Amino acid sequence: MYAIVKIGGHQYKVAENDTVFVNRIAEGEEKITLEDVLLVKDAKGKVKIGKPMVEGAKVEATVVDHLKTDKVIVFKKKRRKGYRVKNGHRQPITQLKIDKIS
């Protein structure tokens, strides 16, 4: 059984007991319910496609941790001008564990 879920403008394929890394969501919550479910495939192989969302479908998840991704180096240079700038960026993300699809 799996579902396609929309979280923060991105679509993720999730199944029960999966771990998913998504863009940072609100801190302070341990359990969240995702109701933007686009598609659900049950254990029997039956597929429900939403228009745009599947009615009554929801995914329950637990927030495991708030992390940062690997550093991305941003280096700017203009030749013969002595201009060099080096910056780094780490995107904040949230680790979710999918508990239940219903």
Side-chain angles (χ1 to χ4, degrees):
M1 176 175 209
Y2 70 87
I4 306 292
V5 182
K6 184 172 153 187
I7 305 170
H10 299 279
Q11 296 176 6
Y12 298 93
K13 179 181 176 182
V14 297
E16 292 183 4
N17 299 321
D18 274 358
T19 301
V20 181
F21 292 94
V22 299
N23 286 338
R24 179 70 55 102
I25 56 175
E27 294 192 32
E29 299 180 30
E30 290 187 15
K31 296 264 186 184
I32 60 170
T33 302
L34 308 169
E35 297 186 0
D36 293 340
V37 180
L38 304 171
L39 180 140
V40 175
K41 181 179 179 186
D42 59 9
K44 298 175 185 175
K46 186 177 178 185
V47 177
K48 293 181 185 176
I49 300 174
K51 297 179 185 176
M53 306 297 170
V54 177
E55 294 291 325
K58 59 184 174 180
V59 175
E60 296 177 10
T62 304
V63 175
V64 177
D65 201 4
H66 295 286
L67 308 165
K68 289 186 178 182
T69 58
D70 294 335
K71 183 173 272 193
V72 176
I73 303 298
V74 179
F75 186 75
K76 299 178 182 179
K77 180 182 177 182
K78 293 185 180 175
R79 63 185 192 155
R80 297 187 301 270
K81 304 296 182 204
Y83 173 76
R84 297 188 315 186
V85 175
K86 181 179 178 182
N87 284 319
H89 176 73
R90 294 182 71 187
Q91 187 71 26
I93 58 173
T94 299
Q95 182 179 4
L96 297 178
K97 182 176 185 302
I98 306 300
D99 296 328
K100 182 179 170 186
I101 298 173
S102 58

